[in-house]
């Protein structure tokens, strides 16, 4: 299994110092949080064939957890906007498909890389700190790519759902939260969002 640390931690910190609001956190996702996201993904994707799409893959902490959980590398596509982080991912994760580009253009990105079926989307993007129009573009793109009932797995550090209420209502999304992971720094919650058939 490729290892992204300690080099990945240093790179993540460097990118955070340059663009703190784009990165969302000063450190990559912790091991317990990454494992919780992988478990939620496996539990929710069982009935849906296709790729698992990871948004904001960063230095690959969640990627490693997804691979350890048993998701085949060929089914995993990592979306990363930052060119330096995308290069890092290519060097450390030869199996998954690396998609360099903006998650707000997700449907276009997936089409350009020949990805037609999606079973789940796993996101480490800092939705609560991004502009509303960017969040709208990302979430609309996610659910335009997912079949009915397939999940968006998204973590947050805050007490509220990471997808705004108005956007959830407009898209007809249902959200379920896991338990807060107190040993993560800072403590985090993993949410699973789905859109039922007919919405």
């Amino acid at each position: 299994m490729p290892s992204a640390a300690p080099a990945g931690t240093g790179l993540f910190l460097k990118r955070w110092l340059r663009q703190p609001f784009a990165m969302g956190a000063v450190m990559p996702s912790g091991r317990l949080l990454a494992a919780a996201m992988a478990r939620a993904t496996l539990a929710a994707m069982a009935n849906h064939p296709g790729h698992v799409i990871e948004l904001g893959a960063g230095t690959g902490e969640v990627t490693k957890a997804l691979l350890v959980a048993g998701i085949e590398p060929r089914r995993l596509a990592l979306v990363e906007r930052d060119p330096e982080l995308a290069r890092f991912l290519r060097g450390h994760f030869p199996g998954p498909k690396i998609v360099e580009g903006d998650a707000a253009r997700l449907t276009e990105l997936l089409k350009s890389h020949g990805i037609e079926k999606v079973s789940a989307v796993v996101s480490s993007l800092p939705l609560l700190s991004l502009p509303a129009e960017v969040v709208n573009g990302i979430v609309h793109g996610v659910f335009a790519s997912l079949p009915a009932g397939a999940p968006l797995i998204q973590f947050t550090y805050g007490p509220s759902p990471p997808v705004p209420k108005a956007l959830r209502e407009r898209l007809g999304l249902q959200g379920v939260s896991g338990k807060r992971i107190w040993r993560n720094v800072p403590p985090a919650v993993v949410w699973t969002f789905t859109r039922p058939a007919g919405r």
Side-chain angles (χ1 to χ4, degrees), residues 6-89:
T9 302
L11 176 59
F12 194 97
L13 178 59
K14 182 176 78 169
R15 302 308 296 164
W16 181 84
L17 289 170
R18 290 182 183 175
Q19 295 181 302
F21 292 106
M23 298 299 288
V26 69
M27 295 292 287
S29 300
R31 179 179 56 84
L32 295 177
L33 173 57
M37 294 183 76
R39 287 194 302 273
T41 303
L42 284 176
M45 64 180 276
N47 298 321
H48 301 282
H51 278 79
V52 174
I53 310 299
E54 184 185 351
L55 305 182
T59 55
E61 296 307 308
V62 174
T63 308
K64 286 189 290 185
L66 292 170
L67 293 170
V68 167
I71 295 175
E72 298 176 64
R74 65 180 180 83
R75 287 190 66 185
L76 191 56
L78 314 180
V79 177
E80 177 53 57
R81 184 180 67 174
D82 187 292
E84 191 171 4
L85 291 172
R87 285 194 299 272
F88 181 90
L89 292 168

Side-chain angles (χ1 to χ4, degrees), residues 110-188:
L110 297 182
K111 183 177 180 180
S112 68
H113 284 78
I115 298 172
E116 297 180 355
K117 293 184 178 181
V118 178
S119 63
V121 175
V122 185
S123 171
S124 297
L125 296 174
L127 295 184
L128 293 179
S129 64
L130 294 175
E133 64 271 17
V134 174
V135 175
N136 287 343
I138 291 170
V139 176
H140 274 88
V142 165
F143 285 97
S145 304
L146 286 171
L152 164 63
I153 310 296
Q154 171 76 53
F155 80 87
T156 183
Y157 300 124
S160 302
V163 176
K165 181 179 180 181
L167 183 54
R168 297 197 311 270
E169 291 178 347
R170 188 157 64 246
L171 292 176
L173 304 183
Q174 298 176 349
V176 178
S177 66
K179 295 181 179 179
R180 183 164 292 275
I181 304 169
W182 293 103
R183 291 171 62 189
N184 193 71
V185 181

